Amino acid sequence: MQEVKLMQTTEEIQSTFDVIKLLRPHLIESEYYKQIKRMQQGGYQLAAVLYHSEVKSVAGFRINESLAWKKFMYVDDLITVTDGRSHGFGKTLLHWLENFAKENDCSQIHLDSGVQRHEAHRFYLRERMDITCYHFSKLFNES
């Protein structure tokens, strides 16, 4: 049976690493928990779909407010294990996120998705999400 859970303890957060790493391969396991804890100070939260106590899908998100979107949920990270796709784990998690957003008085949910993630785009469109804007970024030299 699928269960969605907010991941809060050290063990719960650490249990999401292997799944998040599929989306964010640059992450370092020994630094992951500390980074999540820092991000939580800014409102970041982790939710996961557990199936027989195994993490199958993970979302990192935050509730925010802007002049453009009023109060909204922004999904930073959303990934399902490769062998778990087409089993409903992503759909379960996205619907949980939508309900969580509504329960927290958000009027919208937003996420960015890399242009190369065609399977993810098909999933978002199937789940009745719209493509509403382009996202622009500029990298600065890291020292």
Side-chain angles (χ1 to χ4, degrees):
M1 178 170 181
Q2 296 181 23
E3 168 195 13
V4 180
K5 182 175 184 177
L6 279 173
M7 307 303 268
Q8 297 173 318
T9 68
T10 304
E11 295 78 22
E12 289 170 345
I13 291 169
Q14 203 61 45
S15 75
T16 65
F17 178 78
D18 289 337
V19 179
I20 285 283
K21 190 163 176 71
L22 297 171
L23 181 64
R24 310 285 183 224
H26 63 279
L27 293 175
I28 299 167
E29 189 169 10
S30 62
E31 298 172 8
Y32 181 66
Y33 176 77
K34 289 178 188 172
Q35 184 172 2
I36 296 295
K37 292 311 279 184
R38 282 192 311 271
M39 291 168 57
Q40 284 178 331
Q41 292 175 9
Y44 184 85
Q45 298 184 67
L46 274 173
V49 172
L50 304 175
Y51 183 70
H52 298 292
S53 302
E54 188 176 323
V55 176
K56 294 294 187 178
S57 191
V58 178
F61 66 96
R62 57 189 88 225
I63 303 292
N64 212 331
E65 190 170 358
S66 73
L67 295 175
W69 299 331
K70 301 180 183 174
K71 191 171 181 186
F72 67 98
M73 173 186 280
Y74 184 81
V75 180
D76 296 66
D77 315 290
L78 180 57
I79 188 71
T80 298
V81 293
T82 306
D83 65 354
R85 295 185 184 145
S86 299
H87 288 86
F89 301 125
K91 183 175 188 161
T92 295
L93 188 52
L94 187 58
H95 288 187
W96 183 92
L97 290 166
E98 290 172 3
N99 288 329
F100 189 91
K102 290 174 188 174
E103 290 168 5
N104 284 274
D105 301 316
C106 294
S107 60
Q108 326 181 26
I109 186 170
H110 289 260
L111 61 81
D112 288 328
S113 182
V115 295
Q116 77 286 1
R117 300 195 67 231
H118 304 292
E119 287 182 44
H121 302 163
R122 283 190 285 276
F123 169 71
Y124 300 138
L125 291 168
R126 225 177 16 254
E127 292 304 312
R128 304 184 58 113
M129 295 186 84
D130 296 321
I131 301 169
T132 59
C133 68
Y134 291 104
H135 176 95
F136 295 90
S137 65
K138 185 175 188 177
L139 297 177
F140 299 107
N141 291 335
E142 294 184 19
S143 18

